[in-house]
Amino acid sequence: MYVSEWENGKRAISDRYAVILRQLLGATDTELRGGPPAAAPPSAEGYDELLSRIDSAGSVSESMVKAFDAQTELLRTMDRQMGAAGLVDQMTGHLSALEDALNFTVLPTARRPVALALAGASTLAAWQAIDSGAVERAWRHYELAKRAARDAEAPMYLAHAMAEQAYVLCEAGRPSLGVDLVRDAQRALARDGSPRLRAWLYAAEAEMCAHAGMPDDCRRALDAAEASIPSGSGDRDPDMLSIFLNGAHPTRWRGNVLALLGDDEAVTSLYDALEAADPTFVRAQGGLHTDLAQAHLARAEYDDANTHLRQARLLASRTGSVRQRRRVDLLSARL
């Protein structure tokens, strides 16, 4: 018992000395007792890497943003002429470079032009993914496009991404939800958008309504689209380069949606649109032939339908369009 009390007293004295030494020397208990050295403080290399990337992003100049936009435009041209199938890797690398530039750009004034470039590139990538049948990838690209448009404070780009995202819902069998999303895009844009974008939004609404079995709403939206098209021969929206729209496009859209509704007027509109179509829009031409096949089927004109299906299948194979091949196969089954 006396030994135990002596040991306890000795330990108490030792602890008091340890407290004093810690206060005087700033040493830990482990260091005082000869234990292993304390671990080194965290390395600052992570901060160095972060600052390096911030500095690199900060050097993205106006000319660099123009180079990004030029790359998007090249990919857009290749897409409409050759299809999206062979562009996945290039598009992925392009988006990755833009995302990195935006993620490490600090000041809002520097972020906006990069975010705008990313919004435009992401919607293109998303449409390519729809055409390739990769609907989840398309959805994620549209979400990225919307975030970038908000960062860029660009309501036109936001409305465009929202309305194009409705096509994913339509392809997934939820056209009514697609109608709601397009109308939300119209409300978000209000009167701020260009006439061509407003016309495009009405035409997209008409297509969603046709798929959702809303013929009256469909026709009202078509009329609004035609009324919104600006006069003149140009078809490229100067404020939004992804929008190509002139007087011939609503004719094609009218034929497309009327064919979905089984309306006899569709054939006349589609032939007018085919005659006026730009031959460089190869995938769009394939879509026109598919629409014509559907319109002829609605009129029980099977020979004409088969002729257009053969042409549509050829163009779908040329562009690698999974979306168009699916439509062609569904219509072929009705012959």
Side-chain angles (χ1 to χ4, degrees), residues 129-147:
I130 291 177
D131 194 54
S132 302
V135 291
E136 183 177 346
R137 187 169 80 235
W139 186 268
R140 292 180 183 278
H141 285 330
Y142 282 127
E143 288 298 310
L144 175 61
K146 290 190 296 184
R147 289 196 300 272

Side-chain angles (χ1 to χ4, degrees), residues 34 84 89 127 139 161 170 177 219 238 290 297 306 326:
D89 290 343
W127 190 256
W139 186 268
C170 188
L177 191 54
R219 289 182 171 88
T290 309
L297 275 172
N306 194 42
R326 186 185 302 120

Side-chain angles (χ1 to χ4, degrees), residues 90-142:
Q90 294 179 59
M91 200 74 235
T92 300
H94 184 46
L95 287 183
S96 179
L98 277 164
E99 278 194 89
D100 270 358
L102 181 61
N103 286 339
F104 294 98
T105 300
V106 178
L107 299 179
T109 53
R111 290 178 63 85
R112 288 190 192 107
V114 182
L116 198 64
L118 178 58
S122 298
T123 50
L124 172 60
W127 190 256
Q128 290 175 344
I130 291 177
D131 194 54
S132 302
V135 291
E136 183 177 346
R137 187 169 80 235
W139 186 268
R140 292 180 183 278
H141 285 330
Y142 282 127

